[in-house]
Amino acid sequence: MTVSPVKRAFKYRFRPTGAQADELSRTFGCVRKVYNLALAARTEAWARQERVNYNATSAMLTAWKKTEELAFHARIADRRRDGLHKLTTRLVRENQTLVIEDLTVRTMVRNRSLARAISDAAWLAFRSMLEYKAAWYGREVIAADRFFPSSKLCSHCGRLAQSMPLHVRTWTCEGCGTTHDRDVNAAKNLKAAGLAVSVCGAGVRPRRRTPGGQPAPKQKTPRRKP
């Protein structure tokens, strides 16, 4: 009787932090760039009936690193990271409480028309820097719930608009007639929500975030004993 070995497969789900997800995105981008260059070089060699082995590809990679094109990409990444550090440091130093939106970046980048702009903005890296620097300086970072209608809610009268497509940048409230800039109105609503959380605690929406990004426990009103 022959015994065949049992093959097992294991699946793991990796939930990276904001900084890890941003680093992975940059790494995958670099890998894709190098893969495309190597594929083009091997395709051209194949057309000439030549073969490019691993050692030749490794030598080409060393030469590519010295080209102006790849060096230019590295300088862009360094400047973007430096700009994020300067911005987050200034925000944390000048403010006691900062309010941000808990956006689903992974879902938003699926939109082909916005994916490049969202990736260039590096929102995940921005939030990560903001949270750990807030912990250093003893500041508070409040992340509004992702379902909080900051754009659709009138900051003047509180009326909620039925829909707000992304292409709508200005709109007029049907309740009070106030004309809003989409981003300015959202900023006012987020500020008001953040002040409410600071005063009333984590029992109100949006959820309060303690320094480091962990949600604070929901506050409950104590009941009187009979």
Side-chain angles (χ1 to χ4, degrees), residues 92-155:
V92 170
R93 285 179 175 177
E94 296 178 356
N95 300 277
Q96 293 292 328
T97 302
L98 301 107
V99 185
I100 60 177
E101 286 187 281
D102 187 15
L103 301 173
T104 53
V105 179
R106 292 185 182 88
T107 302
M108 297 176 69
V109 294
R110 295 175 185 174
N111 188 327
R112 295 183 179 180
S113 60
L114 299 176
R116 185 178 183 85
I118 293 173
S119 299
D120 289 342
W123 289 344
L124 292 175
F126 172 81
R127 176 172 177 174
S128 177
M129 292 180 185
L130 199 65
E131 288 178 339
Y132 76 72
K133 290 180 182 181
W136 288 352
Y137 286 88
R139 305 295 196 254
E140 183 182 27
V141 177
I142 299 173
D145 189 277
R146 65 186 59 179
F147 300 108
F148 179 66
S150 59
S151 299
K152 298 191 295 183
L153 186 66
C154 176
S155 59

Side-chain angles (χ1 to χ4, degrees), residues 39-58:
L39 180 61
R42 291 197 173 195
T43 302
E44 293 175 359
W46 181 263
R48 298 191 303 267
Q49 297 183 352
E50 299 176 359
R51 296 183 64 87
V52 178
N53 57 18
Y54 176 83
N55 292 333
T57 306
S58 179

Side-chain angles (χ1 to χ4, degrees), residues 99 101 144 148-155 171 180-193:
V99 185
E101 286 187 281
F148 179 66
S150 59
S151 299
K152 298 191 295 183
L153 186 66
C154 176
S155 59
W171 61 283
H180 297 288
D181 177 274
R182 182 193 185 101
D183 297 330
V184 174
N185 178 68
K188 291 180 179 179
N189 287 325
L190 288 172
K191 179 181 179 181

Side-chain angles (χ1 to χ4, degrees), residues 4-10:
S4 60
V6 178
K7 296 182 179 180
R8 294 182 179 180
F10 298 92

